[in-house]
Amino acid sequence: MFDAARPITLKLQTPDGPKAVSVRFPSDEEWTERQRARKIVTRSLGRGMSKSDVPNHEEIDAALVAKIKTDGPEIDCYEAMTIVGVLSRCDVTDVEREDGGYRVRMTVPGGETSVLLRMPTAREIYAFRREYVSAVELPHGKSSTSVNLEAAARLFDALAGESTGYAGPVPIIHKEAALVAMIAEFESGLGVSDDNLF
């Protein structure tokens, strides 16, 4: 059972022995702020190759952990990245058709969860994509891409039915993972079904 209100204590392994760090699960606003700060910068290397990086991602995760840490020793930005990695874990294990929509099953800290989402319309997917990812071309063969978690949350909330495995509301990072997986599954089944058209 996933419970965002439950206190979390993580043991970080270090050369000097384990560090026990207590944190709370970040709020949707804190996850959104972190994601907004994480700009993915892609640089063209030529010959069809490119390299992507998230500048200052260590400092971004350290700032988040500074807000949610409730007890424990000092940690550096790399240990903060480890903590955020554990808290943000959300692995989609299955997406299957059910009741006119899709059941998305996930493994998250605390156990197994699932959400039922109705089938989206083409208009809803189009509107979501316009808001979800934005890319800006930069000088010197670079581009910057950012992800808007709030766009994912809005469409998830419009499509959502029952959820299982949650003691409270579904966190925004789980909403995004479920929605993106469901849309990918939905679009994999699109196509022309009338053989007489061509």
Side-chain angles (χ1 to χ4, degrees), residues 18-141:
K19 285 184 181 179
V21 180
S22 297
V23 297
R24 62 173 174 79
F25 194 77
S27 67
D28 286 355
E29 293 76 20
E30 288 165 335
W31 282 122
T32 300
E33 181 182 329
R34 172 186 178 261
Q35 191 62 51
R36 192 177 293 124
R38 287 172 55 87
K39 308 291 186 192
I40 303 168
V41 176
T42 304
R43 181 169 53 96
S44 174
L45 301 176
R47 298 185 182 189
M49 295 185 293
S50 61
K51 180 180 179 183
S52 296
D53 187 31
V54 180
N56 306 316
H57 62 282
E58 302 94 340
E59 290 81 7
I60 294 167
D61 283 356
L64 175 59
V65 172
K67 291 179 183 177
I68 64 172
K69 183 180 167 194
T70 57
D71 194 23
E74 290 296 316
I75 60 171
D76 62 28
C77 61
Y78 301 100
E79 292 166 331
M81 288 172 58
T82 301
I83 291 171
V84 174
V86 171
L87 297 177
S88 63
R89 196 183 105 232
C90 180
D91 301 318
V92 174
T93 57
D94 190 34
V95 181
E96 60 184 0
R97 289 289 302 270
E98 182 180 318
D99 296 335
Y102 292 86
R103 171 76 60 183
V104 182
R105 291 184 171 80
M106 298 171 284
T107 300
V108 301
E112 304 285 327
T113 65
S114 74
V115 294
L116 181 64
L117 301 172
R118 75 163 169 80
M119 191 177 295
T121 65
R123 180 176 185 164
E124 286 172 322
I125 293 175
Y126 178 77
F128 161 68
R129 287 218 167 102
R130 286 190 63 181
E131 295 182 39
Y132 177 56
V133 176
S134 63
V136 177
E137 292 298 322
L138 303 173
H140 313 297

